[in-house]
Amino acid sequence: MFLNQHMIVSFHSKELGEVDEAWSEIIQHVHDRKIWSRGPSYCAYNVMDKLVDKYFPSVFMIEDELAELENQGSVESIEDLMNQVFDLRGRLLKLRRTIVPMRDLMYRVLNSQHVQSSNEHKVYFGDIYDHLLKLTDMVEADREMTADLRDSYISLNSNRMNAIMKTLTVITTIFMPLTLIAGIYGMNFTNMPELGWKYAYPAVLIIMFGLAVGMVMWFLRRGWFK
């Protein structure tokens, strides 16, 4: 956008609806001398104000998706939730890369001595700057929320993995002595007195069952199943 005291020139690679909307509003007041006396700066304000306002629906949409994502935390899988969180963070990053430079540019416009007409319309451009500040705060707040959600999902996933590993460890520990006994009596050496005993098989089964029950009871007392 090029601006001086007599004209305003905008350049864009494709049709821009905000420029058309600003032009339509000014044409509607073609006979209003008060509007036309404000000069090109007022036209620039109209275009920039409409450009900035178009970002609010996108930010509001992301906030709604974040709120919905929090409610679905106990329904969807961790992998799906993490994918949605990273998708939202990517969209917020794109918004931030656009909004922050616009905010900095508007700050320079407000405090630059080269744009003489900005002193007459400081209130207008200050309004745009306030909107950009609000957008920046909203984007940063949403990014912090996605970071919190990401950390919460990672912690939840770690807790689930720990619970699974603990369960598998308990099961493996219970079967270790049973496997040892089965391995010893599965060697079938000739000089093994227990192999010729009439009640050897049921005795070994009872001992193995007793070991398993005893270890389960011990783990319960230790709170390993909580």
Side-chain angles (χ1 to χ4, degrees):
M1 183 178 291
F2 303 90
L3 178 68
N4 63 19
Q5 295 180 353
H6 305 288
M7 67 176 182
I8 174 175
V9 179
S10 64
F11 174 80
H12 35 92
S13 58
K14 57 184 179 179
E15 185 176 353
L16 201 62
E18 290 78 6
V19 175
D20 296 335
E21 291 178 15
W23 173 253
S24 299
E25 288 187 9
I26 293 174
I27 289 299
Q28 290 177 2
H29 301 86
V30 65
H31 300 296
D32 190 342
R33 294 183 179 180
K34 184 178 180 181
I35 296 294
W36 284 93
S37 65
R38 295 174 181 175
S41 296
Y42 182 73
C43 298
Y45 157 74
N46 266 308
V47 174
M48 288 187 286
D49 183 57
K50 290 180 179 2
L51 281 170
V52 171
D53 288 345
K54 291 292 184 181
Y55 286 95
F56 279 100
S58 299
V59 177
F60 290 147
M61 184 183 301
I62 291 177
E63 288 186 344
D64 293 339
E65 291 182 22
L66 281 173
E68 185 178 353
L69 196 60
E70 284 185 303
N71 297 330
Q72 294 178 350
S74 58
V75 179
E76 298 189 23
S77 66
I78 296 296
E79 184 178 357
D80 292 338
L81 291 172
M82 290 293 289
N83 290 334
Q84 294 181 48
V85 168
F86 281 113
D87 177 65
L88 289 175
R89 284 184 64 84
R91 289 159 58 188
L92 287 169
L93 181 60
K94 290 180 181 179
L95 285 171
R96 188 178 185 276
R97 287 176 177 172
T98 305
I99 293 172
V100 171
M102 290 173 65
R103 180 200 63 188
D104 296 339
L105 177 62
M106 187 54 57
Y107 178 81
R108 290 198 298 271
V109 169
L110 287 171
N111 295 277
S112 174
Q113 299 298 323
H114 299 286
V115 186
Q116 299 176 359
S117 58
S118 65
N119 295 326
E120 303 174 3
H121 303 90
K122 194 170 183 179
V123 176
Y124 297 136
F125 292 107
D127 179 63
I128 298 176
Y129 181 68
D130 291 339
H131 288 178
L132 289 170
L133 286 177
K134 183 177 180 180
L135 280 170
T136 304
D137 293 339
M138 292 172 66
V139 169
E140 293 298 334
D142 291 342
R143 278 173 56 83
E144 291 179 4
M145 186 179 298
T146 56
D148 293 340
L149 286 173
R150 179 194 59 192
D151 295 339
S152 298
Y153 293 152
I154 291 175
S155 300
L156 181 60
N157 192 39
S158 298
N159 291 334
R160 289 182 178 178
M161 289 300 297
N162 290 336
I164 293 172
M165 292 302 297
K166 183 171 67 174
T167 303
L168 293 176
T169 302
V170 169
I171 295 173
T172 303
T173 305
I174 292 173
F175 277 93
M176 282 176 64
L178 309 183
T179 305
L180 176 63
I181 295 173
I184 291 175
Y185 288 105
M187 291 186 291
N188 294 324
F189 287 124
T190 303
N191 297 320
M192 293 183 70
E194 294 87 353
L195 295 180
W197 186 34
K198 180 179 179 180
Y199 302 104
Y201 178 69
V204 170
L205 289 180
I206 292 173
I207 292 172
M208 294 172 69
F209 180 77
L211 280 172
V213 172
M215 294 183 71
V216 168
M217 296 299 296
W218 186 74
F219 288 145
L220 285 172
R221 293 184 61 183
R222 300 282 294 182
W224 282 31
F225 291 103
K226 292 182 179 180

